[in-house]
Amino acid sequence: ILLQDRKYIAMAKAVGLTEDRCKSIKALASLEEGRKRKATSVAEKQKRKEAELKRLAEAKRQAEEARRIAELKRKEEEAHLAAEAARKAEEERERQKIASVQESLKTLGFYKGGIDSAMGRGTTKALTSWLTQQGRQKTDELNDALISELNAAAEAKRLAELERTRTEEEERRLVEAKRKAEEGKLAA
């Protein structure tokens, strides 16, 4: 028995308790203290478990928020790229329109510059001259109807030139055939 325990036993005897009774009280007190420690330990484990669940729930919420933000950024980037692609496609269509107009005006003899797909002074002047010749008002707007009309006029001129070239070639062959026939008659 420890010295401290003897001190408590002596005090207990002084108040009229037997040594066995003191040991029983001490044993009961130890059991109660163990029960309290166990209850405290269970409560602490429960608090730690709840804290861990809260931490996991917060981590899950943060991960979900990060995923949602990443998804929004991805969609925003896709929209930006799509808009940029549409803008570039529109620019390319516009350049092709202008190149078509320049080629048609060149075929019709109104445009002397190179095909650069730019609506510069030379192209504007040539378009104005063609419109004036057609009896129409000057316009800076290249709409589809105007471009179609211009392309049709250029195509008609190309076809007329092909027909003229074919006719000239046919006439040249006929003249050559006549000359050879006359040479053949003279030789005979």
Side-chain angles (χ1 to χ4, degrees), residues 124-142:
T124 303
K125 183 179 176 186
L127 181 60
T128 302
S129 296
W130 180 76
L131 287 169
T132 302
Q133 182 195 44
Q134 299 298 310
R136 297 175 60 177
Q137 291 185 351
K138 176 188 174 202
T139 181
D140 291 332
E141 182 183 340
L142 287 177

Side-chain angles (χ1 to χ4, degrees), residues 40-59:
T40 302
S41 175
V42 169
E44 286 177 1
K45 284 181 184 176
Q46 184 64 28
K47 282 182 183 178
R48 283 195 299 269
K49 186 177 179 181
E50 288 173 2
E52 181 65 13
L53 289 175
K54 280 183 181 179
R55 187 190 66 73
L56 290 173
E58 179 62 18

Side-chain angles (χ1 to χ4, degrees), residues 11-25:
M11 287 171 54
K13 281 182 183 178
V15 290
L17 294 174
T18 65
E19 188 175 332
D20 287 337
R21 181 74 179 137
C22 285
K23 286 180 183 177
S24 294
I25 291 172

